[in-house]
Amino acid sequence: MADVSSSHYQVLRVPVTATEKEIKAAYRKAARVSHPDHGGEAEMFRRVTLAYETLIDPERRADYDRRYGAGDFQHHQSRPGDYQGARAPGPSTTAHVRRDQTPGRTGSTAGDPPVYVPSFEDPREVPLIPASEAATQVHGLPRKRGLFGAEARIQREMRTVQLISRQVLFAIPAARLINGLRAPADNSHIDHAVLSGYRLALVDSMLLPKGAYAWDGISLRNGSRSVAPPQLASTVRHMQDIFPELNVTGWVVLHSPDGNLHQPVIDWHGKGSSSPAAVEVVNGAGLARGLKQFLSSGPAPNTVVVPVLARLLRGMH
C-alpha cells in the first residue's frame, strides 16, 4: 500500500508518462483492490479515486505536475527511495555532512557509479521514469521566453550548463542537472536545479562586468552602484517545503563577459566570517567549488532518488 506521502502516480502505480488509457486501466485495477466492498480500506480507495480524478483531467494533471506531483507533505513518512542511514539533512540539520553514513566506509561516495533507489530491477516497483531517462545527467536546455534579452539570457544559461556539466557532473556521476523548471509558488522560472543524493541546488545566473562586488546576503553592490540579483530565497523555501527529504540551497553565479571563471570578484560583507545567507552569490569558480562540496558532502551522494528526479522532470517547462 502507498503511504500518505506518495504521489498520485505512485498510488496508481503508473509512470509519469502514462497515457489516458494506461491511467484508466490502472485505476480499475487499484479500485478493485482498495474498495471496501472487496476488503479494501476506505481511505486508500479515496486516495485512488483522487489520484484518478486528478490525472485523467489534462488541466488538473498539468497543474498537479507544476506543483511537482506533490503528495501530503504535512505528514512526511519514510518511503522507498528515502535515505535510511543518517536522517537526510533538511533546513534544521547541519549544512555540510563530511562523511557518507555507510557502515564500515570512510570518505565520500560521490565519485562512485550511480545507485538507483528504488532499483529498476525490483519487480515490486513500477518505474516512474524509464531507466534511460534516469541515467541521463542533463535534462532540458535553456529556452527563449519573453521578447527582450532572450539571446543574452540563453547565452548566460548555456554557460552555466557547460560549467556545471564540466566541473560538477563529471566529478559526481549521480548528479542530475535539470534546466527550465517552474517555480512552485508563482509559476516563474528556475533556470537550473542540480540533484545529487538528498541534496538539491537551485541555480540562477547573471552576466556582469569585471570588478569587485560586495554581497551581504540581501543586496549586491559594485562600488556605489546597487545590482539586483535574482530573488531565489523564497523559491528555495518553497522547494524545501515540497521536498522535505532534501536539503535545498540557492546559488546565483555571476559570469564575466570574457568567460573568466574568477571574475567578477565577490566579497562577503555580511556579519561573520562566511555567508549565512539562504542564497550564495559566487563567480564561476566559486560555483564549481561550492556545488561540488555541497553535493558530495551529503548523505549517499552517489544515489539517484528516482521519485524525486521524476517529480522534478514533471516540473519542467
Side-chain angles (χ1 to χ4, degrees):
M1 179 184 296
D3 64 54
V4 296
S5 61
S6 297
S7 72
H8 290 334
Y9 295 99
Q10 290 168 305
V11 169
L12 294 183
R13 295 181 61 79
V14 295
V16 295
T17 55
T19 64
E20 179 181 331
K21 182 178 179 180
E22 291 170 331
I23 290 171
K24 287 182 178 179
Y27 169 68
R28 286 193 293 268
K29 180 178 179 180
R32 283 196 300 269
V33 174
S34 61
H35 198 286
D37 290 346
H38 297 280
E41 298 178 3
E43 174 60 20
M44 189 61 201
F45 181 71
R46 185 193 67 80
R47 297 186 61 220
V48 167
T49 302
L50 176 61
Y52 172 74
E53 292 175 346
T54 301
L55 299 184
I56 202 65
D57 183 296
E59 291 187 4
R60 290 182 64 181
R61 183 178 182 180
D63 181 65
Y64 180 73
D65 288 340
R66 277 193 292 272
R67 292 181 285 113
Y68 300 91
D72 179 0
F73 298 108
Q74 300 305 313
H75 302 88
H76 176 72
Q77 295 182 358
S78 175
R79 62 176 180 268
D82 282 353
Y83 179 62
Q84 297 299 319
R87 185 169 74 87
S92 62
T93 60
T94 303
H96 298 288
V97 179
R98 294 299 180 183
R99 296 292 184 188
D100 178 72
Q101 303 298 322
T102 305
R105 174 153 190 164
T106 60
S108 173
T109 61
D112 291 357
V115 174
Y116 297 93
V117 179
S119 171
F120 284 97
E121 299 175 357
D122 188 343
R124 299 170 298 176
E125 296 290 339
V126 176
L128 290 173
I129 54 177
S132 58
E133 191 170 12
T136 301
Q137 281 200 283
V138 180
H139 297 267
L141 290 172
R143 301 177 184 180
K144 288 186 178 181
R145 56 181 188 270
L147 298 176
F148 304 103
E151 294 303 325
R153 184 185 302 113
I154 290 174
Q155 179 187 19
R156 62 175 168 77
E157 289 184 19
M158 282 303 302
R159 287 173 63 171
T160 305
V161 170
Q162 293 170 356
L163 174 62
I164 294 173
S165 299
R166 295 170 181 172
Q167 300 283 346
V168 180
L169 303 188
F170 177 78
I172 308 176
R176 299 293 180 261
L177 169 62
I178 304 101
N179 302 295
L181 289 168
R182 299 179 182 90
D186 54 10
N187 204 30
S188 61
H189 302 271
I190 302 172
D191 290 344
H192 319 278
V194 189
L195 174 70
S196 181
Y198 295 87
R199 294 198 165 186
L200 178 67
L202 309 181
V203 184
D204 211 330
S205 61
M206 301 178 72
L207 184 63
L208 294 176
K210 290 183 177 181
Y213 293 78
W215 169 244
D216 62 5
I218 300 175
S219 61
L220 181 66
R221 304 191 65 84
N222 176 226
S224 60
R225 183 170 67 98
S226 178
V227 182
Q231 300 302 305
L232 265 182
S234 62
T235 302
V236 169
R237 289 194 294 270
H238 282 292
M239 292 294 275
Q240 184 67 77
D241 290 340
I242 287 175
F243 296 99
E245 68 270 45
L246 303 181
N247 185 349
V248 184
T249 60
W251 304 72
V252 175
V253 55
L254 307 186
H255 293 293
S256 66
D258 65 357
N260 185 340
L261 297 183
H262 298 279
Q263 285 283 350
V265 176
I266 301 100
D267 295 320
W268 169 247
H269 279 202
K271 296 180 180 179
S273 59
S274 61
S275 171
V279 176
E280 298 279 357
V281 175
V282 294
N283 55 29
L287 180 71
R289 180 175 60 253
L291 279 187
K292 281 191 288 188
Q293 180 184 30
F294 171 69
L295 297 173
S296 64
S297 60
N302 64 319
T303 299
V304 179
V305 186
V306 178
V308 172
L309 178 60
R311 286 163 59 195
L312 287 172
L313 294 181
R314 294 298 289 176
M316 293 172 61
H317 285 280

